Amino acid sequence: MEQDTIFAMASGAGRAAVAVLRLSGPGAGEVLAGLCRPPPPRRAALRALRDADGAVLDRALVLWLPGPASYTGEDSAELHLHGGRAVIAAVAAALVARGARPAEPGEFTRRAFLNGRMDLIEAEAVADLVDAETEAQRRQALRQLEGALGALYRGWAERLLVLMAQEEALIDFPDEDLPPEVAEAACAELAALRGAIAAHLNDAHRGERLREGLVFAITGPPNVGKSSLLNALAERDVAIVSPTPGTTRDALETRVVLGGVPVTLVDTAGLRAAADPIEAEGVRRARAHAAAADLVIAVGEAGAAPGDVPPDALRVANKIDLGGAVPAGALGVSAATGAGLAALRARLAAEAARLTDRSGPPPLTRARHRAALETASACLAGAAAAALPELRAEDLRGALRALGRITGEVGVEDVLDRIFAQFCIGK
Ligand code: GDP
């Protein structure tokens, strides 16, 4: 159990009508009683908050939330203050004077996890929900917070436990004549588990992509209108448009929302053999971006021969206002007149939705989970190949440990600091 009583603003920084300050820890009740007469549990009440000298600091809506039925599982309180800087500073000073201390990033959620109020996957979902910028991200985080992903992993862990019990039986009673169906069923179950985890891993990173956002690279020869297209899609002037080829030397980025997914559009320098060293560096970066992008938007000019384009790129023929023919398989647009841009936007939104496909079972959302599942998967492969029940049991135990690390059920002390440091203060 944590001994400190911590506090932090739960609402955002800056002047606002109301600021919510949160307090949690074994001393929360005492600290609160030092400020005002605590209201009955879970009832909002208006109270004058006072410092040690009895001077009124603010009139606030106060909530007293005794543990264990609180967010952290500890005794907690919420103070809904007037949202001015001076009010917040004065109340914070009074809390420190009463023995509370400012919270570290993620400390409330860390305590919730340590007190068994949520598993690690749900804790991470809290951070994702706070960070969610788009509707699709919000839905994915909420689904994870509600336990869909944890249930999937725990379901696998339970099946592994059953398999392990069977192996233990084989080790303990080697001479008993276990019916051959038992071994066959165990073998089939092991194969089924491996298949389920492999399918989950082999999801084209759709959950991670939605969480982190996609990258679409705009590539093509100089002067075809890449910068103009970026500006048109972003609906503002991000890139310099110039009739002089080779103007875009660095990779310019802008974030847009397409189909509920945050997408970083990268305008790359014209891909040509450049004499100028600065432009050459731009071209090098463009190639690197295009290689790492989730989708390449290969831009050419209508009427011009399509250049060297990656096979899965989305091909766009710009400047259709000049009358050139649109090559087969390309989308004709004009950044200048806006013709075809709605269709291009719709196509990009469809690509974003496809890359982050939200139908079906909950997807993997974090590299941390992926690494643990890969370990589990390798252990299961080892178990399937093991000749002796003892070795098989050891591999199954390894797989179970790896699954347990995802939800936080086994040995995660070493990763907790890293996980919760990514949170904002007050969560
Ligand atoms: P980039 O080098 O590929 O980024 O091309 P820019 O966006 O800088 O555009 C190069 C030139 O083509 C500029 O003079 C633009 O005004 C012009 N341009 C861009 N899009 C269009 C278009 O759809 N139609 C016409 N007629 N000109 C365009």
Side-chain angles (χ1 to χ4, degrees):
M1 264 311 246
E2 300 283 338
Q3 291 308 307
D4 287 358
T5 295
I6 54 172
F7 71 91
M9 297 308 302
S11 51
R15 188 168 161 271
V18 176
V20 178
L21 195 153
R22 197 182 218 197
L23 181 68
S24 178
E30 207 176 304
V31 172
L32 184 64
L35 259 66
C36 65
R37 183 167 52 85
R42 278 166 251 288
R43 289 278 185 79
L46 192 64
R47 291 285 188 267
L49 305 181
R50 293 170 193 275
D51 67 12
D53 300 328
V56 175
L57 302 170
D58 190 17
R59 262 173 221 289
L61 199 66
V62 176
L63 281 162
W64 165 233
L65 307 162
S70 67
Y71 180 75
T72 55
E74 303 173 322
D75 286 350
S76 304
E78 271 181 27
L79 310 174
H80 296 218
L81 310 170
H82 289 98
R85 255 178 230 276
V87 176
I88 295 167
V91 174
L95 290 172
V96 171
R98 297 273 172 196
R101 72 158 166 84
E104 305 285 335
E107 203 170 3
F108 288 89
T109 308
R110 184 185 188 130
R111 290 184 174 195
F113 165 69
L114 291 173
N115 292 327
R117 299 290 295 167
M118 58 177 74
D119 69 24
L120 215 42
I121 297 184
E122 288 159 7
E124 286 169 330
V126 170
D128 289 349
L129 201 51
V130 173
D131 288 338
E133 287 174 33
T134 71
E135 190 54 18
Q137 286 180 316
R138 179 188 67 77
R139 267 193 246 119
Q140 172 162 294
L142 198 61
R143 200 169 172 203
Q144 186 170 328
L145 182 62
E146 284 168 349
L149 204 53
L152 182 69
Y153 298 153
R154 257 191 294 275
W156 290 340
E158 273 159 30
R159 287 167 64 183
L160 262 173
L161 266 176
V162 173
L163 272 178
M164 270 171 66
Q166 287 172 338
E167 290 304 327
E168 305 287 347
L170 276 175
I171 297 168
D172 292 343
F173 310 106
D175 302 328
E176 312 281 310
D177 276 322
L178 283 172
E181 304 89 81
V182 175
E184 275 163 31
C187 203
E189 170 68 351
L190 181 57
L193 258 177
R194 285 180 69 191
I197 295 178
H200 185 66
L201 278 169
N202 188 19
D203 70 345
H205 296 258
R206 60 194 170 95
E208 290 151 288
R209 279 170 149 161
L210 175 55
R211 212 189 123 247
E212 290 160 17
L214 298 168
V215 176
F216 288 2
I218 303 176
T219 67
N223 240 20
V224 294
K226 298 183 296 298
S227 304
S228 307
L229 265 180
L230 177 86
N231 289 340
L233 289 170
E235 293 174 324
R236 61 197 146 96
D237 282 347
V238 186
I240 302 168
V241 172
S242 144
T244 316
T247 307
T248 308
R249 294 190 161 165
D250 207 349
L252 269 170
E253 299 187 0
T254 186
R255 240 158 124 82
V256 295
V257 175
L258 294 166
V261 184
V263 178
T264 302
L265 287 174
V266 186
D267 175 19
T268 56
L271 295 174
R272 62 169 189 176
D276 175 350
I278 301 177
E279 195 190 340
E281 173 59 18
V283 171
R284 193 195 61 74
R285 288 188 196 181
R287 288 194 202 281
H289 265 296
D294 298 297
L295 179 74
V296 170
I297 306 168
V299 184
E301 266 176 39
D308 189 11
V309 168
D312 48 2
L314 173 64
R315 288 168 53 206
V316 173
N318 189 31
K319 308 195 187 181
I320 51 170
D321 52 295
L322 298 181
V326 177
L331 223 74
V333 300
S334 167
T337 67
L341 283 180
L344 175 59
R345 237 187 238 111
R347 177 66 190 276
L348 292 176
E351 290 292 333
R354 180 182 62 78
L355 289 163
T356 59
D357 181 19
R358 271 97 78 198
S359 59
L364 245 171
T365 52
R366 283 187 187 244
R368 186 182 79 81
H369 307 171
R370 181 173 291 279
L373 286 169
E374 277 164 356
T375 304
S377 178
C379 288
L380 291 182
L388 295 170
E390 285 83 353
L391 296 177
R392 205 151 43 231
E394 185 50 39
D395 279 328
L396 293 177
R397 250 192 302 282
L400 194 61
R401 261 199 308 276
L403 284 180
R405 282 177 73 83
I406 305 181
T407 49
E409 268 142 45
V410 287
V412 286
E413 289 72 21
D414 51 329
V415 295
L416 287 187
D417 285 339
R418 212 170 335 127
I419 290 171
F420 288 104
Q422 296 161 4
F423 278 64
C424 54
I425 292 176
K427 250 300 159 202

